[in-house]
Amino acid sequence: MNGTFQRHRRLRSSAGMRNLVRETHLHVEDFIYPLFVVEGSGVKEEVSSMPGVYNLSLDYLKEEIDEVVQLGIQSVILFGIPAHKDPIGTEAYATEGIVQQATRKIKEWAPQLIVVADTCLCEFTDHGHCGVISHGDVLNDPSLELLVKTAVSQAQAGADIIAPSNMMDGFVAAIRVGLDEAGFEHIPIMSYAVKYASKFYGPFRDAANSAPSFGDRKTYQMDPANRREALREAASDIAEGADFLMVKPALAYMDIIRDVRDRFDVPLVAYNVSGEYAMIKAAAQNGWIDEKGITMELLVGLKRAGADLIITYSAKDAARWLKELD
Ligand code: PBG
């Protein structure tokens, strides 16, 4: 041949050659593993739409934490399901709230494990909305006060990172001021800056029993059709003091992950959400797909798209698979 075409296959000729030129790598440090904690004892209940994911009471949480640490996972994000819900989500900011209790326990068992606290009200309100309701509307500024109380109580319990997910305007600014005033100026905020009103959250809402009892979240979460709006959301959260930005969901929003990565320099988190996990598990259980291959391809795809960190229910599986590859 006279060299009129490129021989791209030269760099794909063997496993060693492919390893040498690989551009993106997954590491166990990239993962943040979600945990659902419940009150009571002796509870280890699998979420029906999320095989392998459990609602755990604190006594069962210990073995889960041991496993997470043993697998080399460095970070978990906590979601709480309280025994009692009310209109103003009191259990979200109670000193003995389930997230606060779980945080204290985890920091006692595994002080080096980074505990991210999801700061929202929807798991704690009886109407399932992420803020205070009046005449069928979610009120912005009164909700902020409760979110600040929640964030401060989570920090008091020992949370290493506060992750507000409620999409009220000004939530980062309010929480930053609240944390600083309470002496937690060293605690970073991981903002769910770009969170879409998505059907992919369905299985999570089963797990947390947090589906809104009326209406939907479209007045606060974003329209899936919008791309420029994502940059406005991210810019305002950076201006308000966010230390991390998040895009959620992940798979249908890889363009957004790339846009945010290109525009902002803070660490970027992709949330590989419950519906994304459920689809893979369901297809795998039917024997229709290669679960391991597809999961790893999706995770590396999220990093290639620009994510530094991935919140994923697949973290434990992926950590095991990464060890096999070593
Ligand atoms: C709380 C919250 C939700 C998720 C994370 N934090 C649910 C929602 O907004 O309805 C969803 C996560 C997932 O689907 O895995 N607001």
Side-chain angles (χ1 to χ4, degrees):
M1 264 314 293
N2 60 10
T4 54
F5 62 87
Q6 297 264 327
R7 293 207 180 266
H8 299 292
R9 293 179 60 194
R10 279 184 202 127
L11 300 186
R12 298 177 201 142
S13 58
S14 66
M17 190 70 82
R18 291 189 294 274
N19 286 341
L20 202 62
V21 300
R22 183 158 301 125
E23 298 174 29
T24 310
H25 295 268
L26 271 181
H27 305 285
V28 69
E29 295 88 347
D30 303 332
F31 305 140
I32 302 174
Y33 186 57
L35 292 170
F36 294 99
V37 287
V38 299
E39 285 177 37
S41 61
V43 184
K44 181 174 181 180
E45 208 173 301
E46 192 169 39
V47 180
S48 57
S49 48
M50 300 177 74
V53 174
Y54 295 84
N55 283 353
L56 297 169
S57 53
L58 295 180
D59 46 347
Y60 275 111
L61 187 60
K62 172 79 168 77
E63 61 189 48
E64 183 81 345
I65 295 298
D66 288 345
E67 188 184 5
V68 161
V69 169
Q70 188 258 326
L71 286 168
I73 295 168
Q74 315 225 349
S75 175
V76 294
I77 182 164
L78 287 184
F79 297 99
I81 302 133
H84 302 289
K85 304 192 183 210
D86 64 26
I88 54 169
T90 305
E91 285 295 314
Y93 38 88
T95 314
E96 292 305 318
I98 186 62
V99 168
Q100 288 77 359
Q101 289 187 51
T103 303
R104 286 194 292 267
K105 286 285 184 202
I106 295 172
K107 294 310 291 185
E108 185 187 309
W109 296 326
Q112 76 290 356
L113 190 67
I114 296 287
V115 174
V116 183
D118 179 88
T119 306
C120 198
L121 298 176
C122 60
E123 296 117 65
F124 303 91
T125 52
D126 52 11
H127 45 71
H129 276 287
C130 304
V132 188
I133 301 286
S134 176
H135 304 290
D137 201 20
V138 179
L139 302 180
N140 198 86
D141 299 11
S143 301
L144 293 180
E145 288 170 34
L146 301 183
L147 291 166
V148 171
K149 279 168 74 170
T150 304
V152 169
S153 79
Q154 291 168 334
Q156 278 164 346
D160 298 290
I161 298 177
I162 297 299
S165 66
N166 49 89
M167 291 293 279
M168 293 300 119
D169 289 326
F171 67 171
V172 174
I175 289 174
R176 186 69 273 158
V177 170
L179 287 174
D180 291 355
E181 284 176 0
F184 295 110
E185 59 287 316
H186 56 288
I187 297 292
I189 296 177
M190 179 185 285
S191 175
Y192 286 65
V194 183
K195 179 172 176 181
Y196 288 91
S198 172
K199 292 293 180 203
F200 282 95
Y201 308 149
F204 174 98
R205 293 178 188 172
D206 294 344
N209 183 24
S210 64
S213 60
F214 66 90
D216 52 41
R217 304 209 202 290
K218 290 180 184 167
T219 69
Y220 42 107
Q221 299 181 348
M222 278 181 54
D223 182 338
N226 290 356
R227 184 171 172 187
R228 295 189 306 267
E229 187 184 0
L231 295 174
R232 297 200 295 276
E233 280 281 0
S236 63
D237 282 9
I238 289 288
E240 291 176 30
D243 300 282
F244 300 76
L245 291 174
M246 195 191 302
V247 173
K248 178 185 172 191
L251 297 184
Y253 299 89
M254 287 215 189
D255 55 331
I256 310 298
I257 293 172
R258 173 48 54 190
D259 284 348
V260 175
R261 164 76 296 152
D262 286 346
R263 195 75 77 91
F264 303 97
D265 289 329
V266 298
L268 178 59
V269 186
Y271 198 142
N272 174 214
V273 300
S274 57
E276 299 167 351
Y277 175 83
M279 290 194 303
I280 292 180
K281 284 287 176 189
Q285 284 181 349
N286 275 298
W288 293 341
I289 58 165
D290 171 346
E291 181 183 3
K292 171 178 160 183
I294 283 189
T295 302
M296 296 309 259
E297 188 174 329
L298 289 175
L299 293 173
V300 86
L302 293 175
K303 282 203 76 180
R304 193 199 60 240
D308 299 298
L309 297 166
I310 306 168
I311 302 180
T312 178
Y313 303 97
S314 304
K316 289 199 300 182
D317 289 339
R320 275 188 215 102
W321 292 328
L322 283 174
K323 279 190 184 179
E324 284 172 19
L325 297 177
D326 279 349

